[in-house]
């Protein structure tokens, strides 16, 4: 499975199973434009974690806490089932800087879980 990370505001989004992994709907974007398969707001960082990250901008701390949230989130296993068997999964966010968003963390946890299931 290939997992791609993209901004919802990119002019052309790749073909694949499209997942909006933000808790809030992106400003100025119509639902029809994204052609989402899933809006996975339940696996996005909690509101309190997102606000704390925006206040202190410590990415390593955010990464640790978000990883813990994901692994303890019962909805995460359902999300794994929903993407299993997809060739390409496109994780989408409204964040300006993808590298400092939740998407790389989500991708890493997904890959680790999928690998451990196939081992």
């Amino acid at each position: 499975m290939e997992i791609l990370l993209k901004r919802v505001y990119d002019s052309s989004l790749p073909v694949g199973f499209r997942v909006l992994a933000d808790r809030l709907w992106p400003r100025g974007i119509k639902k029809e434009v994204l052609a989402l398969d899933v809006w996975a707001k339940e696996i996005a960082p909690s509101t309190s974690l997102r606000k704390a990250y925006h206040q202190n901008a410590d990415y390593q701390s955010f990464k640790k806490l978000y990883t813990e949230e994901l692994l303890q989130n019962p909805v995460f296993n359902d999300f794994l089932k929903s993407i299993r068997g997809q060739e390409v999964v496109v994780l989408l966010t409204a964040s300006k800087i993808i590298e400092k968003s939740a998407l790389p963390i989500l991708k890493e946890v997904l890959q680790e879980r999928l690998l451990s299931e196939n081992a």
Side-chain angles (χ1 to χ4, degrees), residues 23-85:
R23 199 162 286 272
L24 304 173
W25 188 262
R27 290 183 185 166
I29 299 286
K30 293 183 179 180
K31 291 184 180 182
E32 304 82 40
V33 172
L34 287 182
L36 291 178
D37 292 290
V38 175
W39 179 12
K41 57 185 165 185
E42 302 85 12
I43 65 164
S46 64
T47 301
S48 59
L49 179 57
R50 182 177 48 82
K51 287 180 178 181
Y53 176 50
H54 288 295
Q55 286 177 351
N56 69 19
D58 178 10
Y59 190 73
Q60 290 307 314
S61 175
F62 173 68
K63 180 178 180 176
K64 179 180 181 289
L65 294 170
Y66 180 45
T67 299
E68 290 171 5
E69 265 190 9
L70 279 173
L71 296 176
Q72 294 172 8
N73 186 342
V75 178
F76 184 66
N77 288 328
D78 294 335
F79 177 72
L80 272 172
K81 290 176 189 172
S82 74
I83 66 167
R84 198 172 285 126

Side-chain angles (χ1 to χ4, degrees), residues 5-10 19-22 26 90-98 101-104:
L5 310 179
K6 296 290 179 182
R7 291 190 72 226
V8 294
Y9 301 107
D10 288 348
V19 178
L20 177 61
D22 282 346
V90 183
L91 299 177
L92 299 167
T93 185
S95 296
K96 289 181 183 177
I97 304 170
I98 290 179
S101 73
L103 291 191

